[in-house]
């Protein structure tokens, strides 16, 4: 993995930046525009992207959008000769980690780059563990990180299994190499094999160029197979062979590629029960279950609730350029909830509270829990018109739905995900709001 991907269409400036990085012993790769950078990131990893704004094809903002859209976990610093405070704010809000205005001093460039690289390396180590149960899991994670043993992380959906996986990678001797994650539940079955193993040009319809698979991308580093129980039995057999032989073949090729990859797998199911039900191969289970770690549900580690909430709040506050804190009464609301959706649900609740807050403090009425917000069992209105309190709560529900829609520029899918509800329930609610005359974004 390179430290910095330098994206600049001015060849002389690009050469000068790369020379500066080389003098400071920072590894780099060059790309002449945003499109070339996108192609590089499809097959390689970087700790940081340093990109010009004005380029073609693919300017800096388009590259930033592509990186965020494809969920590539890398900070981006944008450079431009047309710097202004509004542009800097827009860049940060769009997801940029920092902003440099040309011409910049060499010292400023180096210090900014080094700061972001350090943050990129350390952020995955920032695992919150205060409760005794989570401290036990953390001790286990630290111990296994010093080995190359395969790890199986068990736990309910949303407990933070990927956070633990990244922690193990960053604490290991492989930390300087790539960490590659693939969600087996998010890729269609007919595509998952190609994504994992890679393919040669012409291997199937639409294979217009040779592409590295996730195993090859993780060479020397760590591959996370997230929610591995979602993989069909046929592909499980092929994965088993790769793990046993430590080699892979791309689709459409007979060339054997040796692998040096550490495997971490996660599941939110009882794998032994899945084996008994013939949904998961027993031999693959034993291949993966070398060092199992169970991540406790959030309700089982109550001492973690407020520290995790504070961390989430700090992240969103920094991005918004604000200083927000939780009131003691709001903290009490968070402590009392049993968090069936775990950390992911807590994240959603904090985001809603930031939308609803007045001023720089989150109050208990801003803490809108799933159990009180929108019913999932029956598609019926949450509240009836039988009282001032109920009417006020329904109004707040309407406000948070419309505000979240505006935040995601009308995207129903992203809005439903952030609210923690199904797209079907969101469609029903929006139809009711539209019938009532509310200004629902298209």
């Amino acid at each position: 993995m390179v430290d910095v991907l330098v994206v600049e269409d001015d060849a002389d400036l690009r050469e000068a930046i790369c020379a500066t990085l080389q003098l400071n012993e920072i590894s780099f790769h060059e790309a002449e525009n945003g499109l070339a950078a996108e192609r590089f990131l499809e097959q390689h990893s970087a700790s940081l992207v340093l990109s010009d704004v004005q380029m073609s094809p693919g300017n800096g903002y388009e590259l930033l959008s592509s990186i965020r859209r494809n969920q590539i976990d890398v900070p981006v610093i944008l450079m431009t000769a047309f710097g202004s405070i509004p542009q800097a704010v827009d860049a940060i809000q769009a997801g940029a980690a920092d902003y440099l205005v040309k011409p910049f001093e060499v010292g400023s460039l180096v210090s900014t780059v080094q700061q972001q690289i350090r943050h990129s390396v350390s952020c995955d180590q920032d695992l919150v563990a205060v409760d005794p149960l989570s401290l036990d899991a953390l001790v286990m994670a630290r111990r296994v990180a010093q080995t190359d043993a395969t790890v199986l992380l068990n736990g309910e959906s949303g407990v933070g299994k990927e956070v633990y996986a990244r922690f193990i990678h960053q604490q290991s001797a492989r930390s300087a190499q790539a960490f590659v994650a693939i969600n087996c539940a998010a890729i269609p079955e007919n595509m998952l094999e190609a994504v994992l193993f890679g393919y040669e040009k012409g291997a199937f319809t639409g294979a217009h160029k040779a592409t590295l698979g996730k195993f090859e991308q993780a060479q020397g580093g760590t591959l996370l197979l997230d929610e591995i129980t979602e993989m069909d039995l046929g592909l499980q057999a092929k994965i088993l062979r790769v793990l046993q032989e430590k080699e892979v073949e791309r689709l459409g090729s007979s060339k054997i590629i040796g692998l040096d990859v550490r495997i971490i797998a996660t599941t939110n199911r009882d794998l032994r029960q899945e084996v008994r039900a013939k949904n998961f191969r027993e031999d693959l289970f034993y291949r993966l279950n070398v060092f199992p770690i169970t991540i406790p549900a959030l309700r089982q580690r109550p001492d973690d609730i407020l520290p995790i909430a504070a961390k989430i709040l700090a992240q969103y506050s920094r991005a918004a350029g604000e200083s927000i804190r939780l009131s003691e009464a709001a903290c009490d609301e968070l402590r009392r909830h049993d968090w069936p959706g775990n950390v992911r649900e807590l994240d959603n609740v904090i985001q809603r509270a930031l939308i609803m807050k007045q001023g720089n403090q989150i109050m208990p009425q801003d803490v809108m829990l799933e159990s009180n917000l929108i019913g999932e069992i029956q598609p019926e209105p949450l509240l009836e018109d039988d009282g001032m309190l109920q009417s006020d709560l329904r109004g707040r529900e309407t406000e948070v739905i419309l505000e979240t829609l505006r935040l995601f520029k009308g995207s129903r899918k992203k809005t439903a995900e952030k609210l923690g509800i199904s797209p079907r329930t969101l469609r029903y609610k929006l139809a009711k709001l539209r019938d009532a005359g509310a200004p629902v974004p298209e």
Side-chain angles (χ1 to χ4, degrees):
M1 180 175 70
V2 300
D3 282 327
V4 182
L5 173 60
V6 179
V7 192
E8 170 62 68
D9 59 350
D10 184 325
D12 292 338
L13 179 55
R14 188 171 69 247
E15 183 179 356
I17 291 172
C18 292
T20 300
L21 296 177
Q22 189 170 26
L23 283 173
N24 287 272
E25 299 183 343
I26 300 172
S27 67
F28 61 87
H29 181 85
E30 303 175 50
E32 60 187 7
N33 52 54
L35 194 59
E38 288 181 32
R39 287 197 293 264
F40 176 84
L41 291 171
E42 286 176 358
Q43 299 191 352
H44 305 280
S45 298
S47 294
L48 174 69
V49 173
L50 179 64
S51 175
D52 189 21
V53 169
Q54 301 296 329
M55 300 178 295
S56 182
N59 63 45
Y61 289 118
E62 291 170 344
L63 174 59
L64 175 61
S65 176
S66 171
I67 287 172
R68 297 296 170 251
R69 185 173 60 251
N70 291 300
Q71 299 181 353
I72 300 173
D73 188 15
V74 58
V76 178
I77 297 175
L78 292 178
M79 307 177 290
T80 182
F82 309 100
S84 67
I85 292 176
Q87 283 180 312
V89 172
D90 288 345
I92 298 299
Q93 288 180 339
D98 213 331
Y99 195 89
L100 288 172
V101 180
K102 302 175 187 176
F104 41 76
E105 296 180 355
V106 170
S108 176
L109 169 66
V110 172
S111 64
T112 301
V113 166
Q114 289 177 333
Q115 179 183 2
Q116 288 300 329
I117 290 176
R118 284 195 297 269
H119 175 71
S120 176
V121 171
S122 65
C123 65
D124 290 332
Q125 300 177 4
D126 193 13
L127 191 158
V128 177
V130 177
D131 192 274
L133 270 183
S134 54
L135 284 172
D136 288 345
L138 184 61
V139 168
M140 300 285 279
R142 281 202 176 109
R143 287 179 179 173
V144 77
Q146 307 309 310
T147 74
D148 259 351
T150 299
V151 179
L152 180 62
L153 297 172
N154 302 276
E156 295 178 6
S157 179
V159 294
K161 296 187 289 295
E162 184 170 343
V163 175
Y164 272 82
R166 290 180 179 276
F167 175 85
I168 291 169
H169 171 73
Q170 292 294 347
Q171 293 289 316
S172 75
R174 297 175 177 268
S175 60
Q177 304 304 318
F179 175 90
V180 178
I182 179 168
N183 188 328
C184 300
I187 310 294
E189 286 185 11
N190 60 344
M191 293 177 55
L192 186 54
E193 183 175 359
V195 172
L196 283 167
F197 301 149
Y199 51 87
E200 297 293 339
K201 180 179 180 180
F204 50 83
T205 302
H208 301 302
K209 61 178 181 179
T211 301
L212 274 69
K214 297 297 183 181
F215 277 101
E216 284 185 81
Q217 291 177 33
Q219 192 73 276
T222 302
L223 176 61
L224 171 62
L225 298 173
D226 198 14
E227 303 303 349
I228 195 167
T229 44
E230 302 301 320
M231 191 181 293
D232 68 53
L233 289 168
L235 187 53
Q236 288 177 30
K238 296 177 181 179
I239 292 291
L240 176 64
R241 182 186 179 281
V242 170
L243 299 185
Q244 288 175 333
E245 305 299 328
K246 299 187 186 308
E247 59 187 29
V248 69
E249 294 178 37
R250 295 183 192 172
L251 301 186
S253 172
S254 58
K255 180 182 177 182
I256 303 295
I257 301 169
L259 293 176
D260 174 23
V261 177
R262 200 253 186 88
I263 301 296
I264 301 178
T266 77
T267 180
N268 59 11
R269 302 186 188 182
D270 183 337
L271 262 190
R272 293 184 185 276
Q273 178 58 40
E274 292 297 303
V275 170
R276 288 192 291 270
K278 308 297 184 184
N279 295 325
F280 200 82
R281 292 181 62 101
E282 185 175 21
D283 44 10
L284 180 57
F285 165 72
Y286 284 113
R287 177 66 61 175
L288 295 172
N289 199 44
V290 177
F291 198 92
I293 300 176
T294 297
I295 314 301
L298 190 53
R299 63 183 173 277
Q300 296 172 316
R301 44 185 172 117
D303 289 346
D304 283 350
I305 294 172
L306 294 185
I308 293 174
K311 178 188 172 187
I312 294 170
L313 181 59
Q315 290 172 337
Y316 288 125
S317 296
R318 281 196 302 269
E322 297 180 286
S323 179
I324 311 297
R325 68 185 185 89
L326 288 159
S327 69
E328 187 58 40
C331 289
D332 290 340
E333 289 288 316
L334 298 181
R335 289 192 196 98
R336 282 194 291 265
H337 190 54
D338 63 358
W339 302 108
N342 293 295
V343 178
R344 191 173 295 130
E345 180 188 357
L346 178 55
D347 190 304
N348 290 342
V349 169
I350 295 297
Q351 290 191 65
R352 290 190 207 114
L354 287 170
I355 293 171
M356 299 303 299
K357 69 174 178 60
Q358 300 292 327
N360 64 353
Q361 190 174 37
I362 292 175
M363 304 303 291
Q365 61 267 29
D366 303 323
V367 179
M368 306 183 73
L369 303 169
E370 269 83 351
S371 56
N372 300 327
L373 180 62
I374 298 178
E376 283 287 313
I377 299 176
Q378 295 293 333
E380 297 176 354
L382 179 67
L383 300 166
E384 299 295 334
D385 292 321
D386 58 356
M388 183 182 299
L389 175 61
Q390 292 159 325
S391 178
D392 180 61
L393 288 174
R394 189 177 64 255
R396 295 180 71 81
E397 180 193 43
T398 298
E399 185 178 349
V400 75
I401 290 174
L402 295 180
E403 185 61 31
T404 308
L405 260 180
R406 284 191 286 271
L407 179 67
F408 291 108
K409 297 180 173 58
S411 170
R412 270 57 171 170
K413 180 175 182 294
K414 291 181 179 178
T415 297
E417 289 174 352
K418 288 301 179 185
L419 291 175
I421 62 174
S422 69
R424 176 173 175 269
T425 297
L426 178 62
R427 286 195 300 271
Y428 174 83
K429 291 290 179 182
L430 292 179
K432 286 290 185 182
L433 293 178
R434 194 178 289 109
D435 290 345
V440 178
E442 294 298 328

